[in-house]
Amino acid sequence: MAAGEQPQGRRYWRWSKADFFPEPSFQSWRAYGGALAATVPRLRDRVAARSSEAVEAGTLLAESENPLRRCLSWVDLAFLGFGSVVGSGVFVLTGQEARFDAGPAIPLAYAAAGFSALLSSFCYAELATEIPSAGGSFSYLRVELGDMAAFLAAGNILLEAVVGAAGLGRSWTSYLAALFGLDTDALRIHVPALAEGFNLLDPIAVVVLICTSALAMSGARLTSTINSLASVIGIVIIAFVIGAGFSHFHSSNLVEPTFFPFGAAGVFRAAAVVYWSYTGFDMVATMAEETKNPGRDVPLGLLSSMSAITVVYCAMSLALVGMQRYSEIDPNAAYSVAFAATGLKWARYVVALGALKGMTSGLLVGALGQARYTTQIARTHMIPPYFALVHPRTGTPVYATMAVTLGAACVALFSSLDVLASVSSISTLFIFALVAVALLVRRYYVAGKTPARQLRTFLAFLALVVLSSIGLSAYYNSRYARRWPGYAVFGVGWAAGAAGLALAAKQQRQPKVYGVPLMPWLPAMSVATNLFLMGSLGSMAYLRFGICTVAMLVYYVLFGVHATYDVAHSATAADVVAENVEQGKIVPGSTLPA
């Protein structure tokens, strides 16, 4: 069968119970009852189960029936990273945090947040070259930490995908109204009969979500090309903002009355908030399966884009506080007001256009990455495998893209931005911290080969790193934050744990292509920075995170554990591959032409 040809007798556009619930546990109510009765031993089996890179980047591909296209280079990935990260966040959050938390030191807040994001991108880069799967962090955690950790990551990934896309869609409408000089809600439909927070319908957001997703479904190559062109426009706008800002730069604004009006604590508070301007880079890792040379291209694309973005953010924030004294900055329209104060009133249109471009690119790349996450999750049967199917002509997961888009469109139509903001992105930092732990596990533990004594040594020092990081974060956000002994204790604990990993624990595996430098210090620092930023979030964020986690576990116990158990025990991986090849579902090693 030729690459990309649809298996005989199997149409892509189909809809049946067998496509959604093909596992034996769901063939009848009696079978499902028996599965529920065996939940405890099945759950025990799944908690202990770990996947492998061969399964994640090989065997599971058969579930999609058609392969994703290998058509992207490191340049494409760099532009995708730029497009996924540089959205409206820098235009919105910079003024807010400069005014209330960091003052003229806001560039240091962006540098600190960028450092944390860069640490995480190093970890993603190594894991993406080792496990070049569309599942990104989901696949990494499934291989190194097991099915349960991977499922919790999967649930949070899908939640963030829907809520994040909905939020960008609503923001797109607000900035479009601002571009026309209207009130931010002027283009929405007010429905008094609905509850407050849900009574401003936003059909424009729905249209934007559908259009960007349609582009994503048309093919990764076309989407990448459009994103690259849009990114060039974005670079021009950013260059204008930086150039115009520095042309009206007054160094006195940085030191009057002081560079740190809110102290170091204010800088760290701001760093925790502006960190969200960096989120989205993990979408690049999900494109590894569609990259021509993932071992070389993913690290180059990830690290080059994140380094450039950090420099850009620091320069943009410095230009703002140099143009206008921090106490006079408008937190809602910082750049527009600052430019108007210098006589460049028309520049607000450039700022609004830059934000619109950033949000459009974010939606476009987000539609690509979120669908790849969903595809890999469906390949494992944690959600119905129907959403793993790849279209034979476009080489894209159409059903997965449609599912995420439909969810985001429904949320965006009704929910206001403040309601969406209440669903905290705490899960993003949680996943980043887990990915760093997974990388350490990969380097220091190999199932069946690592001696028990070495494993105990590794786990002891890893626990010291994690617990010290949690303790440092909790102490910083406690009433004792101004006292130094706690920092000394937890700091020494973290250093002892990282040093123990470096000196006493023996690495069991070396990277095949690309390896994180300064192992284990860099991933240990990534754990610490992500947990530290998590600690800066309020108690309500943890309450919502807990509620969402409980809901995810209920779904897993009722459905996910039984579907994955059936798949794991119905046949060996080799039997699955042989059966799929025999049925013509997929040609081993085949790829669609670029």
Side-chain angles (χ1 to χ4, degrees):
M1 185 178 70
E5 184 180 335
Q6 186 70 8
Q8 187 174 2
R10 295 180 64 84
R11 296 183 301 107
Y12 183 79
W13 301 106
R14 57 185 192 263
W15 183 281
S16 69
K17 178 179 178 293
D19 292 313
F20 284 87
F21 299 104
E23 303 84 11
S25 293
F26 304 107
Q27 294 309 300
S28 66
W29 285 108
R30 183 175 182 179
Y32 182 56
L36 288 179
T39 294
V40 173
R42 288 187 171 195
L43 187 59
R44 191 182 303 119
D45 175 89
R46 292 292 82 207
V47 169
R50 295 171 73 211
S51 185
S52 69
E53 52 264 38
V55 171
E56 295 299 310
T59 306
L60 287 179
L61 273 62
E63 293 287 342
S64 294
E65 298 188 359
N66 300 284
L68 297 168
R69 295 180 186 271
R70 289 197 180 275
C71 57
L72 303 176
S73 67
W74 77 267
V75 177
D76 296 314
L77 295 182
F79 275 114
L80 287 171
F82 189 88
S84 65
V85 174
V86 183
S88 61
V90 67
F91 293 101
V92 176
L93 297 178
T94 306
Q96 171 187 309
E97 294 310 302
R99 178 68 180 81
F100 299 118
D101 284 322
I106 185 65
L108 297 183
Y110 270 107
F115 176 70
S116 178
L118 193 59
L119 290 175
S120 293
S121 66
F122 272 109
C123 298
Y124 269 87
E126 177 173 333
L127 288 168
T129 61
E130 297 282 301
I131 311 170
S133 158
S137 54
F138 168 75
S139 291
Y140 314 150
L141 297 179
R142 193 164 180 259
V143 170
E144 303 303 337
L145 301 184
D147 261 25
M148 180 61 73
F151 174 77
L152 290 177
N156 281 289
I157 286 167
L158 294 178
L159 177 65
E160 287 298 312
V162 170
V163 174
L168 276 178
R170 298 282 296 200
S171 295
W172 203 97
T173 303
S174 297
Y175 269 91
L176 181 63
L179 189 63
F180 292 133
L182 303 173
D183 180 78
T184 53
D185 289 327
L187 299 180
R188 299 189 174 106
I189 302 172
H190 183 234
V191 182
L194 298 177
E196 186 69 27
F198 302 91
N199 58 354
L200 289 174
L201 303 188
D202 197 336
I204 294 177
V206 174
V207 172
V208 171
L209 284 165
I210 291 173
C211 290
T212 52
S213 295
L215 280 174
M217 285 187 283
S218 66
R221 175 72 267 170
L222 175 61
T223 305
S224 175
T225 300
I226 293 173
N227 173 73
S228 297
L229 294 174
S231 294
V232 171
I233 297 173
I235 291 171
V236 171
I237 293 173
I238 289 172
F240 164 79
V241 171
I242 295 174
F246 278 102
S247 68
H248 295 84
F249 191 91
H250 300 285
S251 57
S252 60
N253 288 334
L254 302 182
V255 294
E256 293 181 2
T258 174
F259 188 66
F260 294 102
F262 304 99
V267 174
F268 286 119
R269 283 197 304 271
V273 175
V274 301
Y275 185 84
W276 311 125
S277 297
Y278 289 95
T279 56
F281 68 83
D282 53 318
M283 296 298 174
V284 175
T286 68
M287 306 305 295
E289 199 175 305
E290 293 160 89
T291 303
K292 296 175 183 176
N293 186 353
R296 179 199 66 187
D297 295 341
V298 173
L300 277 175
L302 259 176
L303 300 178
S304 62
S305 60
M306 287 308 298
S307 300
I309 289 166
T310 301
V311 172
V312 165
Y313 281 178
C314 290
M316 288 183 68
S317 58
L318 181 60
L320 176 64
V321 292
M323 272 195 297
Q324 193 171 38
R325 185 173 298 180
Y326 85 91
S327 59
E328 299 173 358
I329 290 175
D330 187 318
N332 298 313
Y335 286 94
S336 298
V337 173
F339 280 127
T342 63
L344 299 176
K345 294 184 179 181
W346 54 268
R348 70 185 179 91
Y349 298 107
V350 178
V351 172
L353 186 61
L356 278 174
K357 176 268 147 198
M359 286 181 287
T360 303
S361 294
L363 286 169
L364 194 59
V365 180
L368 277 179
Q370 292 151 4
R372 271 66 182 171
Y373 272 130
T374 307
T375 297
Q376 190 72 4
I377 295 168
R379 285 170 174 172
T380 68
H381 289 231
M382 284 189 183
I383 60 176
Y386 182 79
F387 298 106
L389 299 177
V390 172
H391 195 278
R393 184 177 61 81
T394 65
T396 58
V398 173
Y399 290 135
T401 309
M402 290 172 62
V404 175
T405 302
L406 181 61
C410 290
V411 173
L413 179 62
F414 294 98
S415 304
S416 65
L417 284 175
D418 57 339
V419 172
L420 294 175
S422 68
V423 183
S424 172
S425 292
I426 187 174
S427 56
T428 303
L429 287 168
F430 175 66
I431 292 171
F432 287 173
L434 281 181
V435 167
V437 170
L439 179 58
L440 288 169
V441 171
R442 182 171 183 81
R443 287 287 196 100
Y444 287 91
Y445 173 69
V446 178
K449 296 183 180 180
T450 302
R453 182 178 178 182
Q454 279 289 332
L455 178 59
R456 287 194 296 269
T457 300
F458 164 66
L459 290 177
F461 287 118
L462 176 62
L464 186 56
V465 167
V466 174
L467 293 176
S468 297
S469 300
I470 294 173
L472 183 64
S473 179
Y475 186 82
Y476 178 78
N477 291 281
S478 72
R479 58 177 178 166
Y480 305 106
R482 294 183 178 274
R483 303 178 184 179
W484 65 266
Y487 298 110
V489 170
F490 292 118
V492 169
W494 177 89
L501 289 174
L503 301 175
K506 183 180 179 182
Q507 290 193 41
Q508 304 293 301
R509 176 166 27 206
Q510 293 298 317
K512 301 170 186 175
V513 181
Y514 168 81
V516 168
L518 301 175
M519 177 65 72
W521 296 95
L522 193 150
M525 181 63 76
S526 180
V527 172
T529 56
N530 283 301
L531 292 178
F532 183 83
L533 292 175
M534 281 181 68
S536 68
L537 301 172
S539 58
M540 285 302 298
Y542 286 91
L543 177 62
R544 295 174 190 121
F545 179 69
I547 293 173
C548 291
T549 300
V550 169
M552 294 169 193
L553 289 175
V554 169
Y555 167 85
Y556 187 63
V557 169
L558 293 178
F559 295 98
V561 67
H562 307 295
T564 55
Y565 181 89
D566 286 347
V567 171
H569 292 276
S570 62
T572 65
D575 292 337
V576 172
V577 173
E579 180 184 356
N580 283 312
V581 171
E582 182 179 348
Q583 293 180 1
K585 288 185 178 181
I586 195 168
V587 178
S590 67
T591 60
L592 289 173

